[in-house]
């Protein structure tokens, strides 16, 4: 595996836990330090691929054992730069150690935060949801996941730097900043145009108008939009006409129509015909026609669809994790799979 020559110590709480998961997926030997094993489904997903070791840093003997483990590691991932050991103390004993500190705001900040409050402060929630309703957050712990991904990138960058100069380093990651970076459009809009973004719900706004993105069909939902692509629009109308549902869409000259400048009222009238067509057919039918005729449509999978996906099963996507006293649970496996890797050529084996 790509990172099989690296050992990682994971001391994070929920924030930053994804960093160790990603590094484990890439082949690193990740030791997750906890006072006891968890059977919580979310924890099992974040800790998939890690080796769990029960140690309590508050206990003197466990603290010394943890110190010894860190001395054998390449990367330490934690939430506080001073706990359970200061960075200066660790760097003195282990100058090649890469110390990744993932905090809510900054390594020195102790302000309380949750994934929800971080999402709200980042501005991401301001653009999620319908315009006439309260803002919403995204499914799962997205701010925590974004910080975890940045932590993994930081660790890999620091490992590369150590390969060049032989030195470890301290790297700090802010979960708030990670979420803000994911929300790149709204901060830039404010900085350069002085405008605050707004929620548009199920409309993709371009130019002077907006088009619908998510549609109900007979057995679920699909995603598709009216776009300035004459070939795609003609293909959709052709499929609809063959089933007697194109109505007045057949009279539109798509070559000379600019969707972005078409009044919303006109687009809504056109979309009413598309809505009726989608509601009369299944996701499988619509997807088949999309592939055959280039409609630019995709079905939206639910949880059961994802778990039953033949494509994901063929690449061994899922891992069954046993839970004491409870049914096993399927969690995602590695995001990346490599056919061959020779760690002996990397020059950074501890």
């Amino acid at each position: 595996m790509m990172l099989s020559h690296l050992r990682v110590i994971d001391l994070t709480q929920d924030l930053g836990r994804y960093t160790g998961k990603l590094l484990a997926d890439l082949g690193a030997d990740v030791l997750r330090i906890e006072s006891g094993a968890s059977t919580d489904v979310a924890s099992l997903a974040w800790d998939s691929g890690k080796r769990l070791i029960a140690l309590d840093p508050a206990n003197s003997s466990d603290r010394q054992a943890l110190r010894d483990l860190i001395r054998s590691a390449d990367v330490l991932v934690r939430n506080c730069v001073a706990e359970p050991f200061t960075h200066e103390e660790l760097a003195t004993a282990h100058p090649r150690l890469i110390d990744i500190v993932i905090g809510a705001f900054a390594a020195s900040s102790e302000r309380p935060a949750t994934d929800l409050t971080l999402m709200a402060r980042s501005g991401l929630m301001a653009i999620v949801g319908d315009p006439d309703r309260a803002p919403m957050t995204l499914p799962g712990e997205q701010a925590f996941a974004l910080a975890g991904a940045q932590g993994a990138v930081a660790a890999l960058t620091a490992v590369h730097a150590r390969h060049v100069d032989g030195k470890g380093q301290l790297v700090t990651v802010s979960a708030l900043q990670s979420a803000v970076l994911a929300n790149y459009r709204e901060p830039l809009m404010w900085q350069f145009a002085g405008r605050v973004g707004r929620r548009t719900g199920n409309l993709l706004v371009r130019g002077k108008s907006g088009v619908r993105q998510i549609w109900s069909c007979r057995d679920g939902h699909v995603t598709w939009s009216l776009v300035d692509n004459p070939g795609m629009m003609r293909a959709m109308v052709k499929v609809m006409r063959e089933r007697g549902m194109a109505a007045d869409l057949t009279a539109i000259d798509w070559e000379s129509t600019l969707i972005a400048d078409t009044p919303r009222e006109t687009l809504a009238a056109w979309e009413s015909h598309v809505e009726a067509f989608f509601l009369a057919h299944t996701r499988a039918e619509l997807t088949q026609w999309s592939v055959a005729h280039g409609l630019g449509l995709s079905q939206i999978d639910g949880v059961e669809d994802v778990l039953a996906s033949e494509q994901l099963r063929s690449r061994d996507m899922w891992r069954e994790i046993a839970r004491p006293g409870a049914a096993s649970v399927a969690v995602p496996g590695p995001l990346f799979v490599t056919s061959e890797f020779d760690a002996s050529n990397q020059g950074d084996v501890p």
Side-chain angles (χ1 to χ4, degrees):
M1 292 289 286
M2 193 178 299
L3 301 182
S4 59
H5 58 301
L6 295 180
R7 169 172 284 184
V8 179
I9 304 296
D10 182 355
L11 287 174
T12 62
Q13 301 301 315
D14 289 338
L15 176 57
R17 211 163 182 159
Y18 190 43
T19 294
K21 158 71 173 168
L22 288 174
L23 297 177
D25 285 348
L26 290 170
D29 179 23
V30 180
L31 307 183
R32 170 77 184 169
I33 309 302
E34 285 194 343
S35 57
S38 173
T39 60
D40 175 72
V41 173
S43 298
L44 291 172
W46 289 123
D47 291 337
S48 176
K50 304 175 186 178
R51 290 197 289 149
L52 303 183
I53 296 182
L55 289 176
D56 182 3
N59 179 282
S60 58
S61 60
D62 282 1
R63 187 178 178 86
Q64 183 57 49
L66 177 58
R67 191 192 305 271
D68 293 339
L69 277 177
I70 294 174
R71 191 174 290 117
S72 73
D74 298 279
V75 179
L76 173 65
V77 187
R78 53 184 177 155
N79 297 126
C80 180
V81 72
E83 296 292 341
F85 311 106
T86 67
H87 174 71
E88 291 73 18
E89 181 182 0
L90 295 174
T92 299
H94 188 358
R96 284 174 55 83
L97 179 68
I98 295 165
D99 190 1
I100 307 293
V101 179
I102 304 175
F105 303 98
S108 60
S109 174
E110 296 182 355
R111 286 179 290 170
T114 64
D115 186 82
L116 179 65
T117 60
L118 290 170
M119 289 291 287
R121 289 178 65 100
S122 74
L124 280 170
M125 285 178 60
I127 58 173
V128 178
D130 295 321
D132 57 343
R133 302 175 67 182
M136 299 177 65
T137 190
L138 298 171
E141 296 177 319
Q142 292 295 323
F144 284 8
L146 289 165
Q150 295 285 0
V153 172
L156 295 175
T157 304
V159 167
H160 177 72
R162 189 179 71 175
H163 175 63
V164 175
D165 61 18
K167 300 177 181 179
Q169 59 178 295
L170 170 65
V171 184
T172 59
V173 175
S174 162
L176 175 61
Q177 186 178 20
S178 299
V180 170
L181 289 172
N183 183 19
Y184 63 91
R185 177 184 168 184
E186 307 311 315
L188 289 177
M189 184 184 298
W190 170 254
Q191 181 179 358
F192 292 105
R195 289 167 45 206
V196 176
R198 60 187 179 87
R199 293 185 293 284
T200 58
N202 196 16
L203 288 183
L204 174 63
V205 177
R206 287 181 177 170
K208 301 176 182 178
S209 197
V211 293
R212 186 171 172 179
Q213 302 177 88
I214 308 299
W215 307 77
S216 296
C217 61
R218 187 191 296 176
D219 61 349
H221 297 84
V222 295
T223 177
W224 182 85
S225 296
L226 288 161
V227 294
D228 291 313
N229 183 327
M232 194 178 91
M233 299 310 302
R234 287 194 301 269
M236 175 61 80
V237 173
K238 179 176 181 293
V239 172
M240 293 174 64
R241 184 177 64 243
E242 290 172 349
R243 286 146 190 88
M245 302 189 71
D248 57 359
L249 296 182
T250 57
I252 299 172
D253 180 3
W254 299 108
E255 296 286 352
S256 60
T257 298
L258 185 61
I259 299 294
D261 285 344
T262 302
R264 178 61 201 149
E265 295 76 12
T266 302
L267 295 178
W270 295 349
E271 288 174 339
S272 66
H273 303 308
V274 178
E275 179 179 37
F277 172 65
F278 286 165
L279 285 171
H281 298 92
T282 66
R283 291 180 302 168
E285 290 173 321
L286 295 170
T287 300
Q288 181 180 0
W289 293 328
S290 180
V291 172
H293 302 287
L295 307 184
L297 173 146
S298 299
Q299 79 171 41
I300 298 177
D301 288 338
V303 173
E304 294 303 321
D305 299 306
V306 174
L307 291 173
S309 168
E310 183 177 339
Q311 180 187 22
L312 295 179
R313 190 186 307 112
S314 68
R315 65 181 296 270
D316 199 21
M317 176 66 181
W318 305 109
R319 299 287 186 271
E320 287 290 332
I321 303 297
R323 292 187 295 168
S328 63
V329 61
V331 300
L335 293 175
F336 312 98
V337 178
T338 57
S339 57
E340 185 176 349
F341 183 77
D342 184 3
S344 65
N345 293 326
Q346 301 309 299
D348 198 29
V349 179

